[in-house]
Amino acid sequence: MRKGECSASGHLEEKTKVIEQKEGQLNAFLHLDFEGARKKAGEIDEKIRKKKKLGKLAGLVIAIKDNICVEGMPCTAASKMLENYVAPYNATVVEKILQEDGIIIGKTNLDEFACGSDCTKSAFKISRNPVDTERVTGGSSGGSAVAVASGMADLALGSDTGGSIRCPASFCGVVGFKPTYGLVSRYGLLDLAMSFDQIGPFSKDTYGAALLMEVISGEDPRDSVTKGTKDRDYTRLLDKTKKKLKIGIAKEFFEGCDKEVEKVVKEIIEKLGERHEILEVPLPISRYSVPIYFLNVFAEFSSAMQKYDGLKYGAFWEELNLVDAVSEVRDRTLGKEVKRRILLGTYITMKEFKDAWYTKTLKARDLMRKEFDNAFKKVDLLASPTNPSLPWKIGEKNEDPVQMYLADTLTTTANICGIPAGVVKAAFCGKLPVGVQFMGRIGEDEKVLAAMKSVEELAGRDMDDEHNNRS
Amino acid sequence: MIDQDTLKKVAQISRLKLSEQEIQELQKDLNTILDYFSKINEIAAKGEEMYYVKAVRNAVRKDLPRKCDKDEKIRKAFNKKQENWLLAPRSL
């Protein structure tokens, strides 16, 4: 584009065509803004003509998860509660993308209020996996993963509270990255659980994720946990790939894992041994990741959801007294999983039950953080599968909430400990992609990205060949 | 175990008006979930400290008035209003 070989408008029209072809089948988007995107592309082309300096994302078409505010666009969190809500401001990450000349094409589907692991719990539509449309995309940021995997967008943003970026990245065969807690501002994100949430990128390759990280990370006075965060040049830091890293694996990561997933992930880790050192580390507390994670999340979520009362914005209220009006509107507009989580969160933090539940979960969370801190004294990174299973068929796992929660076993650990974690396609099982996950020390996001790039270099070429032969 | 009376109380505090059928279904779900999650008792006793976000430092700023140019857009989202005021149902 900088050389004048193509224009932002031309590139956008190509993406628009892909969306027109594929969106009807895949349901990645809840809102599309072709008009706004064309206007922005026109502005970028004008800059090129006038030889003005272009931003880092110039002309790239970017999709935003529908729980992140983009001024003037709906922001529904895939809930009836916010069906008619139009965001009055931009999230900090959106502001930064626009400043760097990214083109925002629309808002992507998710599980309602990001409560789910397969993107089937949206109040509006079920997203479908582009690799096999009978199967789930993973979630909750399923729409963003689909948009990138199917070529409808170059890059996308998701949010990750317990794996909501990494799970769909693995299931759809793209790169997904959850930054260190506090690295990216959450101003303008509809929160799920404030001590876990992070916004992060989706892309086709690690370079794209590093580029978007470079743009969205950094201190923001509107999100106090970002205080002290330095701006870093993640694309340049990717060259650290050449350094030998110590990568730990734990036997606990493979317990409860499907055999085929275990096999391909172990194979790629073995290949990594050519470049890096692989060590065994014990992580027994990680077996408890699901209860630790969910109990903490329920408590924070039930508190975060109190603001949805149908008064200031969102769904309507009737001529009832205040308490009844709020209860009525919440009952009518919130989905089953959201209700389960609100009720459990309220229950475990009630005076009578707090000691039996919430106090214990906070202690257990601290135990897990200490266990991971210790592991990171011996290794730079930990490697694991992303999900214990392959993407399931749409409708499976709907009956039993515990089975759904267990799908998050391997991703929740990074959010419990606040550490960075990223996923890159390791191989295919049949035609279904499998992602390998790396976790790193707090603030060492560049090492996680470097390991992901190693995988692309080591496995990438033969994997693509294999896939092309098959399909 | 969450019994029906407790669930009704929890629902009331949570500002959720649940139908009888929902109460039946949710009672079963919530107990299944808590039953599995009681696993946490196997390790919690070993924990000494309660978790808090360590990386967070105090972020203070001067408390100065700032101009907000979004007030019209914010008001537009109100469900019921009278002039510039948000209308809410009676609380008494």
Side-chain angles (χ1 to χ4, degrees):
Chain A
M1 215 171 275
R2 286 193 171 86
K3 287 177 196 156
E5 285 163 12
C6 67
S7 67
S9 303
H11 177 64
L12 175 64
E13 288 319 306
E14 278 171 31
K15 290 288 163 200
T16 309
K17 268 187 208 135
V18 181
I19 293 171
E20 278 163 3
Q21 263 170 25
K22 297 186 176 175
E23 173 58 11
Q25 196 187 14
L26 299 176
N27 289 335
F29 288 93
L30 290 175
H31 176 75
L32 281 159
D33 180 21
F34 292 126
E35 202 188 306
R38 283 186 183 121
K39 190 166 162 259
K40 180 78 183 173
E43 285 167 23
I44 296 163
D45 286 334
E46 187 64 21
K47 274 193 182 178
I48 298 174
R49 263 193 298 280
K50 290 188 174 158
K51 302 215 172 354
K52 279 193 188 160
K53 194 172 176 282
L54 290 178
K56 284 179 181 170
L57 303 173
L60 293 176
V61 175
I62 301 170
I64 311 283
K65 187 177 182 179
D66 202 25
N67 61 352
I68 300 171
C69 291
V70 180
E71 188 171 342
M73 287 191 196
C75 193
T76 68
S79 179
K80 294 248 185 243
M81 172 62 86
L82 295 176
E83 195 168 4
N84 301 314
Y85 177 63
V86 175
Y89 67 102
N90 280 329
T92 299
V93 287
V94 168
E95 204 64 58
K96 287 182 169 195
I97 286 173
L98 293 172
Q99 271 164 18
E100 294 294 338
D101 290 330
I103 298 172
I104 292 174
I105 187 72
K107 307 293 298 287
T108 56
N109 198 20
L110 63 152
D111 291 299
E112 185 178 4
F113 285 107
C115 292
S117 314
D118 65 2
C119 213
T120 65
K121 284 160 201 68
S122 160
F124 306 116
K125 47 172 83 161
I126 291 175
S127 297
R128 292 175 175 273
N129 195 317
V131 184
D132 175 350
T133 52
E134 296 299 304
R135 290 180 190 270
V136 299
T137 60
S140 66
S141 318
S144 288
V146 173
V148 170
S150 62
M152 295 195 276
D154 297 305
L155 297 168
L157 284 185
S159 64
D160 190 313
T161 306
S164 282
I165 291 175
R166 289 160 288 151
C167 163
S170 176
F171 280 7
C172 297
V174 293
V175 163
F177 188 73
K178 182 208 90 80
T180 295
Y181 181 76
L183 204 59
V184 176
S185 167
R186 299 159 304 162
Y187 177 73
L189 168 73
L190 309 188
D191 54 335
L192 194 180
M194 53 126 194
S195 77
F196 295 80
D197 295 333
Q198 268 296 281
I199 294 174
F202 283 95
S203 58
K204 282 269 191 199
D205 55 19
T206 307
Y207 179 84
L211 180 67
L212 196 46
M213 273 303 293
E214 213 167 286
V215 171
I216 62 174
S217 61
E219 190 169 323
D220 176 13
R222 287 175 156 141
D223 180 355
S224 62
V225 302
T226 61
K227 192 169 167 64
T229 301
K230 303 265 179 301
D231 287 341
R232 304 190 73 184
D233 210 344
Y234 289 101
T235 47
R236 214 164 40 82
L237 288 167
L238 268 184
D239 289 337
K240 287 215 169 165
T241 320
K242 276 141 205 136
K243 272 197 186 157
K244 192 170 177 172
L245 297 164
K246 282 185 184 172
I247 300 178
I249 51 167
K251 69 173 191 316
E252 289 85 1
F253 291 159
F254 296 93
E255 292 169 2
C257 222
D258 285 0
K259 286 283 160 279
E260 47 203 329
V261 173
E262 180 175 346
K263 184 170 164 278
V264 297
V265 172
K266 282 192 168 160
E267 274 169 12
I268 194 73
I269 291 171
E270 206 182 299
K271 262 192 205 170
L272 278 173
E274 294 166 18
R275 244 186 226 190
H276 306 290
E277 191 184 344
I278 312 293
L279 301 164
E280 283 262 3
V281 286
L283 289 165
I285 305 281
S286 68
R287 288 195 184 109
Y288 296 88
S289 62
V290 166
I292 295 175
Y293 168 78
F294 278 97
L295 289 166
N296 276 288
V297 162
F298 293 156
E300 293 183 20
F301 180 66
S302 66
S303 153
M305 289 300 286
Q306 285 175 8
K307 60 182 162 288
Y308 302 110
D309 55 11
L311 302 177
K312 304 178 287 296
Y313 45 77
F316 53 91
W317 57 275
E318 299 280 340
E319 299 296 331
L320 297 163
N321 72 50
L322 184 63
V323 174
D324 288 343
V326 172
S327 304
E328 173 90 31
V329 79
R330 282 161 69 89
D331 183 53
R332 240 189 289 159
T333 57
L334 299 176
K336 198 171 175 185
E337 178 59 21
V338 170
K339 286 180 188 169
R340 280 184 197 131
R341 292 189 187 199
I342 292 175
L343 291 165
L344 282 168
T346 306
Y347 176 76
I348 64 167
T349 50
M350 276 163 73
K351 196 171 72 213
E352 304 92 302
F353 309 108
K354 196 177 159 203
D355 286 343
W357 290 102
Y358 190 50
T359 309
K360 282 182 186 167
T361 68
L362 286 170
K363 283 186 177 170
R365 186 174 182 188
D366 196 60
L367 276 179
M368 189 155 165
R369 167 164 67 188
K370 284 183 180 137
E371 179 174 277
F372 274 66
D373 279 352
N374 276 329
F376 284 124
K377 283 178 189 152
K378 283 177 252 160
V379 295
D380 297 305
L381 298 169
L382 291 164
S384 77
T386 310
N387 229 262
S389 66
L390 293 167
W392 48 89
K393 291 229 165 100
I394 290 169
E396 261 178 57
K397 302 206 188 198
N398 269 356
E399 291 310 309
D400 184 353
V402 173
Q403 283 309 310
M404 181 64 83
Y405 297 161
L406 285 172
D408 297 341
T409 302
L410 298 166
T411 46
T412 47
T413 49
N415 306 74
I416 292 169
C417 303
I419 56 180
V423 164
V424 62
K425 184 166 65 185
F428 289 94
C429 279
K431 63 176 178 178
L432 299 170
V434 175
V436 58
Q437 171 180 239
F438 295 97
M439 294 174 263
R441 295 186 193 104
I442 284 183
E444 292 191 350
D445 299 58
E446 71 281 0
K447 281 188 186 160
V448 176
L449 290 163
M452 289 157 67
K453 191 160 173 252
S454 280
V455 170
E456 282 171 349
E457 287 167 1
L458 286 166
R461 212 159 293 155
D462 22 306
M463 190 164 61
D464 282 341
D465 289 347
E466 207 181 311
H467 186 57
N468 290 340
N469 291 342
R470 223 178 259 136
S471 52
Chain B
M1 269 294 276
I2 304 181
D3 56 37
Q4 281 212 8
D5 286 343
T6 310
L7 180 56
K8 281 176 187 166
K9 192 178 159 198
V10 173
Q12 195 195 2
I13 300 171
S14 308
R15 298 276 182 270
L16 283 171
K17 197 186 108 193
L18 302 176
S19 67
E20 278 306 314
Q21 199 201 333
E22 272 184 305
I23 288 172
Q24 301 284 347
E25 283 173 19
L26 283 163
Q27 191 195 5
K28 185 174 146 272
D29 289 352
L30 303 194
N31 281 317
T32 311
I33 294 166
L34 287 182
D35 189 43
Y36 178 77
F37 285 178
S38 62
K39 235 170 101 96
I40 204 156
N41 289 314
E42 294 166 17
I43 54 161
K46 287 185 220 140
E48 290 149 7
E49 254 185 295
M50 285 194 275
Y51 181 92
Y52 61 97
V53 180
K54 273 188 185 162
V56 174
R57 280 145 283 194
N58 262 342
V60 289
R61 61 169 169 79
K62 288 215 170 97
D63 189 17
L64 298 171
R66 280 177 295 180
K67 201 162 165 43
C68 171
D69 55 358
K70 310 279 184 216
D71 45 346
E72 202 39 58
K73 284 188 172 167
I74 292 166
R75 272 197 293 268
K76 221 175 139 184
F78 290 174
N79 285 319
K80 298 214 171 179
K81 60 188 159 194
Q82 196 173 325
E83 291 165 28
N84 280 339
W85 300 90
L86 165 68
L87 275 189
R90 301 178 73 85
S91 59
L92 286 170

